[in-house]
Amino acid sequence: MEDRMQVVVSETSKGEERGRGRGIGAAMDVDEEGRYTGKGGVFERLGTDRDGSGPQKCKKSVFGLYYLCGLAVEGYILIACNLHEECTEEDIYDKFSELGEVKNIHLNLDRRTGFTKGYALIEYQHFKEAQSAIEALNGAELHDRLLEVSWAFSRGPLGTRLSTRRRSEK
Amino acid sequence: MTENEEFYLRYYVGHKGKFGHEFLEFEFRPDGKLRYANNSHYKKETMIRKEVYVTEAVLKELRRIIEQSDIMKEDDSRWPEPDKTGRQELEIVLGNEHISFATTKIGSLLDVQNSEDPNGLRNFYYLVQDLKCFVFSLISLHFKIKPI
């Protein structure tokens, strides 16, 4: 049991809160051999050069030699929220490529309606471009809506990041 | 919806068959840690274990998707029980609400229509697809892998 993922819940769910569902109270112990024992408990994580605030780079898509040359091809991922349901990938590309070379866009659809779900993930190759996209486009208008743009990944746990705290104080 | 309210999400889908225990599971912890596990033994595939920290913006979008789905109002008491075909678990803590649902695998909307609680199960069915889609995008962009 200790190896399973819902360990956190048993900590957070104590108290008077009322739960609902088959898994409440009765442990969902279907896997007597354990899902996360031995090698199964080792999770890969990309290296962090320093802890705390700041965006996390994504993995290099080419082999490490480029990294040694300083030509790292890692990217930086942003999330854009509050998108209009009819927003297209082209709209996102047009908007974000003004700030730098966009390497990748994921614009996922709502499975029920077929329209855009409301968020997009955008990858830039360079930190500076990604940073300037946040500065320029967070709060910018697209289809009569205000874009919410920020980093998608962080180097460490949320509590330690000062940037979040500053933003929520506004 | 506040940024500081309690939040946790875990989804599991799996079965035990001739390739052993094959499953996919992911969770978002309150501190932003996203963990992703995929065990497939088919054609000697190895297990995949990934973890990364996401920002408050990602958690906020996740909460929006959950709230929009109305899943916190559902109940799994009339959903099909987990069985030999497989098992799905969805556990969410949102503020002072806590759900922990378990049901069998859902092949298509036909299974949903034929169930005793088609409306509730449909909400679950679509939410799970939207969640998987979100997580696969996050994991594949960050780790440059194709998770499925």
Side-chain angles (χ1 to χ4, degrees):
Chain A
M1 271 305 285
E2 318 68 74
D3 293 316
R4 298 205 25 204
M5 281 191 178
Q6 80 271 34
V7 165
V8 171
V9 158
S10 49
E11 289 163 9
T12 56
S13 65
K14 57 182 178 244
E16 302 107 52
E17 97 197 4
R18 208 170 49 88
R20 199 167 344 104
R22 293 184 174 122
I24 300 283
M28 293 197 212
D29 206 6
V30 280
D31 54 330
E32 41 309 323
E33 84 272 37
R35 293 176 197 167
Y36 300 99
T37 46
K39 222 175 79 180
V42 182
F43 283 72
E44 184 199 345
R45 185 194 300 199
L46 301 185
T48 49
D49 39 4
R50 56 191 158 105
D51 53 2
S53 67
Q56 166 78 296
K57 280 182 248 178
C58 69
K59 195 165 187 170
K60 296 191 289 288
S61 42
V62 191
F63 44 90
L65 188 64
Y66 286 87
Y67 188 78
L68 297 174
C69 309
L71 292 167
V73 285
E74 297 147 311
Y76 292 85
I77 319 286
L78 303 185
I79 182 167
C81 298
N82 200 29
L83 303 180
H84 190 277
E85 60 176 17
E86 290 181 42
C87 183
T88 66
E89 205 170 309
E90 204 178 342
D91 297 335
I92 297 291
Y93 183 81
D94 288 347
K95 201 86 180 163
F96 283 80
S97 58
E98 283 174 19
L99 285 307
E101 192 190 344
V102 172
K103 305 293 286 182
N104 221 329
I105 295 174
H106 282 216
L107 181 68
N108 294 336
L109 303 182
D110 184 308
R111 296 309 170 104
R112 190 192 289 250
T113 65
F115 287 115
T116 296
K117 189 69 201 171
Y119 67 88
L121 296 163
I122 301 111
E123 178 181 349
Y124 286 98
Q125 182 169 338
H126 301 292
F127 175 83
K128 273 193 168 169
E129 296 172 343
Q131 176 96 53
S132 64
I134 293 177
E135 283 161 16
L137 298 178
N138 185 34
E141 212 172 299
L142 183 63
H143 305 298
D144 294 328
R145 280 165 169 251
L146 298 183
L147 283 175
E148 293 167 16
V149 185
S150 53
W151 301 111
F153 298 103
S154 125
R155 289 195 168 100
L158 284 177
T160 63
R161 292 184 319 128
L162 293 167
S163 54
T164 329
R165 211 159 286 160
R166 238 179 278 136
R167 200 175 41 215
S168 58
E169 272 168 16
K170 270 190 215 156
Chain B
M1 189 173 80
T2 65
E3 291 194 1
N4 297 321
E5 74 178 2
E6 247 184 295
F7 178 72
Y8 175 80
L9 180 144
R10 183 183 62 85
Y11 172 74
Y12 162 92
V13 56
H15 68 272
K16 286 172 187 173
K18 63 174 167 181
F19 300 110
H21 185 191
E22 297 185 279
F23 68 93
L24 178 150
E25 187 168 33
F26 54 79
E27 73 167 4
F28 288 89
R29 299 192 182 192
D31 64 355
K33 189 192 268 185
L34 163 61
R35 298 186 114 187
Y36 173 87
N38 190 344
N39 251 43
S40 169
H41 305 298
Y42 178 67
K43 288 184 177 170
K44 295 223 161 57
E45 286 264 340
T46 48
M47 58 184 153
I48 297 169
R49 295 278 185 279
K50 306 282 183 195
E51 66 178 30
V52 62
Y53 285 96
V54 299
T55 55
E56 182 59 42
V58 169
L59 290 188
K60 190 180 159 206
E61 182 64 10
L62 193 63
R63 283 197 296 266
R64 189 191 66 83
I65 292 170
I66 292 163
E67 280 164 7
Q68 197 188 49
S69 77
D70 277 341
I71 195 72
M72 303 308 283
K73 295 180 191 141
E74 302 299 344
D75 195 320
D76 64 353
S77 58
R78 290 188 297 143
W79 298 358
E81 299 259 2
D83 57 18
K84 236 177 36 213
T85 346
R87 175 181 190 94
Q88 295 186 83
E89 299 169 2
L90 179 67
E91 178 158 20
I92 300 175
V93 177
L94 191 63
N96 54 10
E97 288 182 286
H98 181 187
I99 57 162
S100 184
F101 295 159
T103 188
T104 182
K105 283 192 189 178
I106 303 171
S108 72
L109 271 181
L110 204 65
D111 297 341
V112 172
Q113 302 299 6
N114 296 334
S115 76
E116 286 177 49
D117 177 23
N119 288 334
L121 205 53
R122 194 178 300 115
N123 281 351
F124 173 81
Y125 176 77
Y126 283 118
L127 173 64
V128 161
Q129 291 193 51
D130 285 335
L131 291 176
K132 277 181 173 172
C133 192
F134 195 21
V135 168
F136 290 168
S137 278
L138 288 167
I139 294 293
S140 63
L141 279 170
H142 185 70
F143 290 98
K144 293 289 181 289
I145 56 157
K146 220 174 169 306
I148 33 172

